[in-house]
Amino acid sequence: AQKVTQTQTSISVMEKTTVTMDCVYETQDSSYFLFWYKQTASGEIVFLIRQDSYKKENATVGHYSLNFQKPKSSIGLIITATQIEDSAVYFCAMRGLTGNTRKLIFGLGTTLQVQP
Amino acid sequence: NAGVIQTPRHKVTGKGQEATLWCEPISGHSAVFWYRQTIVQGLEFLTYFRNQAPIDDSGMPKERFSAQMPNQSHSTLKIQSTQPQDSAVYLCASSLDRGRYAEQFFGPGTRLTVL
């Protein structure tokens, strides 16, 4: 069975610093996609960044980057130069590439609070 | 471009009533997904359509829940005889569903409250 675990319930950081959010996953699929989404206070869920399991290079988009450690089944999200607007709940998700399913398996989320 | 549209944004029903939730995917997206979000269970997959055909309904409760996609521009999730435990935010997402274009884009959700 596939599973995604985010052990950090909440994190508080000062503005303009760097934060890392942890995520570990379990899957029997040999290839898979890993995603990070952000849910704002209004409830909007926004796609941030994706890592393909067969790529060794860590994905980077703007001030978001990933720390992909495949042997550890770990995909950390790194946010550099944090801004107040980065305060949100961050979800890690996984999608296998076996069979017909395209469903995302989500972790329970990490709440990030960025303090001025 | 408009994102995924969901209506209504809020719905209140009495126990035992029916609720129908609507979703309009992003134009050109071939895959439509329904998820449910609660505080306790988090984000849970319900069902998935590709090119309007049902592909995976492994997350749908076997009774009272049904989903349809009669055309490429909308999908519905129907809950019959609603129960208080059905209270949740129901999220629709769409995707191009092609290899490198695997991201799912979410709508604002419908908050269902069953009294």
Side-chain angles (χ1 to χ4, degrees):
Chain A
Q2 298 181 325
K3 186 177 179 182
V4 175
T5 303
Q6 296 178 252
T7 55
Q8 301 157 304
T9 305
S10 64
I11 301 174
S12 181
V13 300
M14 300 302 293
E15 192 179 11
K16 300 179 185 176
T17 60
T18 295
V19 63
T20 299
M21 283 176 264
D22 301 329
C23 175
V24 293
Y25 57 91
E26 297 173 26
T27 181
Q28 286 71 49
D29 288 6
S30 56
S31 293
Y32 43 89
F33 294 128
L34 298 163
F35 305 89
W36 279 90
Y37 285 84
K38 163 185 175 180
Q39 186 168 34
T40 64
S42 67
E44 181 186 15
I45 297 177
V46 179
F47 164 71
L48 296 178
I49 191 168
R50 165 185 138 193
Q51 179 76 39
D52 299 350
S53 66
Y54 47 87
K55 291 186 178 179
K56 292 184 178 179
E57 305 78 26
N58 289 320
T60 298
V61 176
H63 75 145
Y64 302 108
S65 61
L66 298 177
N67 179 18
F68 180 42
Q69 299 184 58
K70 194 171 183 180
K72 295 183 178 180
S73 295
S74 171
I75 183 74
L77 173 68
I78 302 166
I79 307 176
T80 57
T82 52
Q83 304 164 6
I84 302 296
E85 312 83 83
D86 292 324
S87 296
V89 181
Y90 290 79
F91 291 98
C92 177
M94 174 177 65
R95 196 203 100 179
L97 286 170
T98 300
N100 243 348
T101 189
R102 298 288 186 266
K103 65 183 177 184
L104 293 176
I105 306 297
F106 285 89
L108 292 178
T110 297
T111 300
L112 174 66
Q113 187 169 21
V114 181
Q115 310 268 17
Chain B
N1 285 335
V4 175
I5 298 170
Q6 289 189 249
T7 55
R9 294 293 307 276
H10 302 273
K11 186 170 183 68
V12 179
T13 65
K15 182 178 175 181
Q17 292 184 328
E18 181 178 288
T20 299
L21 312 180
W22 293 71
C23 169
E24 181 179 332
I26 294 171
S27 178
H29 281 192
S30 57
V32 172
F33 304 81
W34 286 95
Y35 293 84
R36 175 169 65 180
Q37 185 176 29
T38 60
I39 297 293
V40 175
Q41 299 293 333
L43 280 154
E44 300 176 287
F45 168 80
L46 295 176
T47 190
Y48 152 54
F49 295 86
R50 184 197 302 150
N51 294 322
Q52 302 169 231
I55 303 296
D56 179 0
D57 67 353
S58 59
M60 290 279 273
K62 295 308 176 189
E63 298 178 358
R64 302 187 296 105
F65 282 65
S66 63
Q68 294 183 327
M69 190 160 185
N71 58 59
Q72 63 183 8
S73 63
H74 91 272
S75 174
T76 58
L77 179 68
K78 183 180 291 186
I79 309 172
Q80 296 178 311
S81 185
T82 53
Q83 303 297 310
Q85 61 264 30
D86 299 331
S87 296
V89 176
Y90 290 83
L91 294 150
C92 178
S94 72
S95 162
L96 281 169
D97 197 33
R98 282 204 309 266
R100 52 192 289 221
Y101 301 107
E103 296 82 24
Q104 296 176 22
F105 296 91
F106 285 79
T110 294
R111 180 175 296 278
L112 176 66
T113 301
V114 182
L115 301 176

